[in-house]
Amino acid sequence: MHGLGNSYIYIDLFSFHLEESKLAPLAIDVANVNTGIGSDGLILIHPSEKADVGMRIFNKDGSEGKNCGNGLRCVAKYAYEQGIVTTKTFTIETKGGNVTAEVHLIGECVDEVTVDMGEPQLRREQIPMLGNPNERVIAEPFPIEEQSIEVTAVSMGNPHAIFFVPTIEQAPLSKLGPVITSDQRFPEGVNVEFVEVVNKQEMHFRVWERGSGITQACGTGACAAVVAAILNGLAEKEKEVCVHLSGGDLFIKWSKDSHVWMRGKAETTATGVFEWTNE
Ligand SMILES: N[C@@H](CCC[C@H](N)C(=O)O)C(=O)O
């Protein structure tokens, strides 16, 4: 399935068991476009004691992420269409916390999903980012490769470093993405986003994802970008922002009660059986 071209192979663990030690190698193998299926990683849909359904996400390199915005919308679509849940609003457990999803139907099929992504976490220790644990990181000078750019850091259950640029075409994504994602100032690595703000309700967005590299879209990243824009006075709370990603648009709102809302498409590409020999 994919959300705006951010594609994962989804495995339904409601009737199937996978050993923990096999998960990282399986993610690497299914994601390989030459010898596997080809995707940005692997997502497990599993029974949960804390929510109506559970989700785990593994990046292309086998590392586990704690949250995935595009994945949440796809899990919501799958859970509703397969009858795992029977109501249009339900909860999903992630390693970054529980969220609430609402599916929007065309006929019997889920077309769009709105997710209450919860509250962003802004203190350095929550990102995590080195420095004073209680401080926020807003437009902080970030020396890198003999230049200094300004970073705003936001956690949406997973870490994001946001850099505002004058034009998205000139964003140094391929040059700085792979360097910043493993910069030692972010002890757990970071998802790197470049953002051009068009106006208070529209922005362009490009991402280098931790563990996967350039992807067409990142849902948690788009939420983090809107939060970062508001923290920098470039957008406003309560007003929906249209975020243009490489794979399409997401609609994000940071409410006065501090919850972040994400709305966008979720699509199924194919279903099938993956022949896997793990030597
Ligand atoms: N594509 C995702 C985020 C996936 C996890 C991320 N790479 C991480 O390691 O934190 C999204 O849509 O949010």
Side-chain angles (χ1 to χ4, degrees):
M1 302 176 83
H2 74 93
L4 310 178
N6 186 204
S7 63
Y8 294 91
I9 308 305
Y10 291 77
I11 299 184
D12 178 346
L13 293 186
F14 275 79
S15 52
F16 186 69
H17 174 72
L18 273 175
E19 271 172 49
E20 190 63 34
S21 62
K22 305 275 185 207
L23 301 179
L26 177 61
I28 295 168
D29 286 353
V30 289
N32 188 313
V33 73
N34 297 308
T35 55
I37 301 172
S39 68
D40 295 321
L42 171 75
I43 288 183
L44 307 175
I45 304 172
H46 62 84
S48 165
E49 286 176 3
K50 298 180 185 157
D52 296 312
V53 56
M55 171 183 103
R56 284 179 71 184
I57 180 259
F58 291 81
N59 293 310
K60 207 172 190 164
D61 67 358
S63 61
E64 185 166 11
K66 289 187 177 158
N67 201 359
C68 176
N70 293 316
L72 284 167
R73 298 198 313 282
C74 291
V75 168
K77 177 180 171 74
Y78 183 90
Y80 184 82
E81 289 180 355
Q82 297 303 313
I84 292 170
V85 295
T86 50
T87 52
K88 286 187 193 153
T89 301
F90 51 91
T91 53
I92 305 177
E93 177 192 346
T94 76
K95 288 208 162 172
N98 285 12
V99 303
T100 303
E102 182 189 0
V103 296
H104 310 292
L105 307 180
I106 293 185
E108 296 296 300
C109 293
V110 175
D111 175 46
E112 284 198 331
V113 181
T114 299
V115 185
D116 174 356
M117 299 287 287
E119 299 187 23
Q121 296 173 314
L122 302 173
R123 289 187 289 110
R124 291 181 108 97
E125 68 176 357
Q126 294 173 313
I127 306 294
M129 186 177 178
L130 296 186
N132 182 339
N134 292 317
E135 232 175 42
R136 291 177 168 196
V137 183
I138 304 171
E140 178 175 296
F142 190 83
I144 188 99
E145 305 238 307
E146 290 163 13
Q147 47 178 312
S148 187
I149 47 181
E150 288 183 345
V151 66
T152 298
V154 175
S155 170
M156 290 303 310
N158 59 351
H160 297 274
I162 295 103
F163 301 89
F164 293 101
V165 290
T167 56
I168 205 68
E169 291 76 21
Q170 285 168 4
L173 187 61
S174 309
K175 185 167 181 267
L176 293 186
V179 183
I180 298 172
T181 195
S182 50
D183 188 282
Q184 45 92 21
R185 284 165 280 190
F186 296 98
E188 293 179 10
V190 74
N191 297 289
V192 183
E193 283 97 15
F194 291 95
V195 176
E196 174 195 338
V197 174
V198 180
N199 58 48
K200 289 189 169 181
Q201 288 184 267
E202 191 181 356
M203 58 178 64
H204 295 284
F205 170 103
R206 295 291 178 273
V207 62
W208 183 284
E209 280 196 37
R210 173 177 71 168
S212 293
I214 294 175
T215 62
Q216 295 280 295
C218 178
T220 50
C223 294
V226 171
V227 170
I230 293 168
L231 293 172
N232 282 278
L234 302 170
E236 285 170 19
K237 274 194 172 175
E238 286 298 336
K239 290 217 170 111
E240 193 173 73
V241 179
C242 174
V243 183
H244 303 297
L245 304 102
S246 301
D249 294 345
L250 279 177
F251 299 89
I252 312 290
K253 186 171 78 179
W254 191 13
S255 300
K256 285 206 174 113
D257 67 359
S258 209
H259 283 228
V260 179
W261 296 80
M262 170 189 64
R263 176 170 62 85
K265 296 242 176 221
E267 295 179 63
T268 305
T269 311
T271 58
V273 177
F274 180 59
E275 306 280 343
W276 190 47
T277 329
N278 178 236
E279 304 294 338

